[in-house]
Amino acid sequence: MVGSTAKPDMYQIFETQTSKGISEAFGDQQICYSYFDGSTRSVIKAVDVLADYLRDSGPFDAVMGFSLGAALAATLLVRDARQVSRLRVGCAIFLCGTLPCDWQELDQGSLQLLQAKDVGNNVIQIATVHAWSPNDVDYPGQSIQLFQMCEATMRVEILHCGGHIVPSQDVEFLALAEAIQRTLSSLER
């Protein structure tokens, strides 16, 4: 957490495998890290640390996450849906977002993902920007489900052709930048 006032003992960072997109862009010799190790305990801790950081250091215009980072932010937004104003974040930007964890299952010690059909639309009640690809073979169908979980009148969708990566073609990248800019401009200040 760049610029974080959180004490280092408040969170843990775990070494993790290099993901396909990272290895394709930078090679297999990269050391990658994660805020959770796959255990329910570490997921709960990561969500709590993110919530504390947003509340203590905000307000923030946006929280942005790619892939599992988007899932972390979405898990927090779903968990705190009724108290989202306390998080002090204006919108969320999900890049190839994967599904959030089911908080009730986490509390029971089980790591299960929420499905759009189980929670319905409008669970996430802040403005959202979603950039995802129908060609995502790493997490097929997850980004569209995350999109469906967000308030329909406050979500923007940018499709790209790159798979499970941040859009990099000029037209797609510019569309994403414009969608983010419009969403940020629409926030009440």
Side-chain angles (χ1 to χ4, degrees), residues 104-123:
Q104 291 176 334
E105 292 292 327
L106 283 173
D107 272 345
Q108 301 298 317
S110 176
L111 186 56
Q112 301 293 322
L113 301 179
L114 283 177
Q115 304 293 314
K117 65 180 175 54
D118 297 331
V119 296
N121 298 340
N122 309 329
V123 174

Side-chain angles (χ1 to χ4, degrees), residues 18-171:
T18 305
S19 69
K20 182 178 164 188
I22 297 294
S23 64
E24 287 174 356
F26 302 105
D28 291 326
Q29 302 307 315
Q30 301 301 312
I31 299 173
C32 296
Y33 300 95
S34 176
Y35 282 103
F36 46 94
D37 63 4
S39 70
T40 57
R41 184 172 163 254
S42 69
V43 173
I44 291 169
K45 181 117 178 143
V47 172
D48 287 342
V49 168
L50 178 58
D52 291 345
Y53 185 76
L54 292 173
R55 277 192 292 268
D56 296 346
S57 301
F60 293 97
D61 290 337
V63 59
M64 181 187 319
F66 171 78
S67 189
L68 296 176
L72 176 67
T75 300
L76 172 62
L77 293 170
V78 170
R79 181 191 78 174
D80 290 2
R82 290 188 181 96
Q83 305 163 359
V84 74
S85 63
R86 288 185 30 218
L87 293 176
R88 303 176 69 196
V89 62
C91 70
I93 302 163
F94 299 128
L95 308 172
C96 295
T98 57
L99 291 172
C101 295
D102 184 322
W103 196 259
Q104 291 176 334
E105 292 292 327
L106 283 173
D107 272 345
Q108 301 298 317
S110 176
L111 186 56
Q112 301 293 322
L113 301 179
L114 283 177
Q115 304 293 314
K117 65 180 175 54
D118 297 331
V119 296
N121 298 340
N122 309 329
V123 174
I124 296 176
Q125 292 282 318
I126 62 173
T128 56
V129 175
H130 303 258
W132 68 279
S133 173
N135 301 326
D136 186 342
V137 296
D138 297 322
Y139 299 93
Q142 290 196 26
S143 292
I144 185 65
Q145 285 194 66
L146 177 57
F147 175 76
Q148 292 166 347
M149 290 180 194
C150 298
E151 166 61 49
T153 62
M154 300 171 69
R155 66 187 187 200
V156 177
E157 178 181 45
I158 303 296
L159 296 178
H160 65 90
C161 64
H164 196 71
I165 63 169
V166 176
S168 58
Q169 292 188 3
D170 289 347
V171 173

